Amino acid sequence: MVPAGPPTESTVAALGDLLAPDDVIIDGGNTNFHDDVRRAQTLAARRIHYVDAGTSGGIWGLQEGYCLMVGGEADVCRRLEPIFLTLAPEGGYLRVGDHGAGHYVKMVHNAIEYGLMQAYAEGFHLMHDSDYKIDLPAVASLWLHGSVVRSWLLELTA
């Protein structure tokens, strides 16, 4: 779990020089999925395995739980599954495909998240700027009870 980009690149390179065949590097940051594919191929030449794990839950992960979207070789992920199942809440882990798939699914997840936040922002902006004196926190709280737009992001808004 190091920042994406040069810090991850240098860490993976350093570990690649230290590890033995059949060892595994797990990248749990927000790496670009194209980098995952390249790193996996480079490490495979040394018979070192690479797994990418997209993680959702942010700073609230300890309280709210989080999910793991994992990419890598099926047999390697199966071998590591006890780790992922221990870390994630029940139903919060899935191997989503080969190298890069975990971070790819996380990237799409982030796009959906940002789209939802934009939609909430625009809706609340409309209510705020209207001629009505709408209690926005009360509306956000109301929508948490049975509304089709309820979500954890709306909980944070409320």
Side-chain angles (χ1 to χ4, degrees), residues 97-138:
D98 290 329
H99 299 112
H103 286 140
Y104 180 80
V105 170
K106 176 61 163 92
M107 177 189 69
V108 172
H109 163 284
N110 285 353
I112 293 168
E113 176 184 0
Y114 302 154
L116 289 169
M117 289 190 298
Q118 181 67 34
Y120 285 136
E122 290 181 21
F124 280 92
H125 180 78
L126 286 170
M127 289 186 287
H128 177 268
D129 284 358
S130 74
D131 292 336
Y132 303 103
K133 300 294 181 206
I134 298 171
D135 182 343
L136 299 179

Side-chain angles (χ1 to χ4, degrees), residues 132-156:
Y132 303 103
K133 300 294 181 206
I134 298 171
D135 182 343
L136 299 179
V139 170
S141 294
L142 170 69
W143 287 353
L144 293 174
H145 302 280
S147 169
V148 297
V149 298
R150 68 186 177 272
S151 73
W152 183 46
L153 291 171
L154 186 61
E155 275 183 53
L156 296 172

Side-chain angles (χ1 to χ4, degrees), residues 14-56:
L15 288 172
D17 291 338
L18 296 172
L19 297 178
D22 212 31
D23 284 346
V24 182
I25 295 174
I26 303 171
D27 178 357
N30 276 331
T31 292
N32 182 303
F33 67 96
H34 295 292
D35 292 338
D36 292 322
V37 174
R38 176 182 47 77
R39 289 183 190 135
Q41 290 171 347
T42 300
L43 292 166
R46 300 179 190 177
R47 296 184 16 232
I48 297 170
H49 304 285
Y50 181 88
V51 170
D52 55 285
T55 311
S56 176

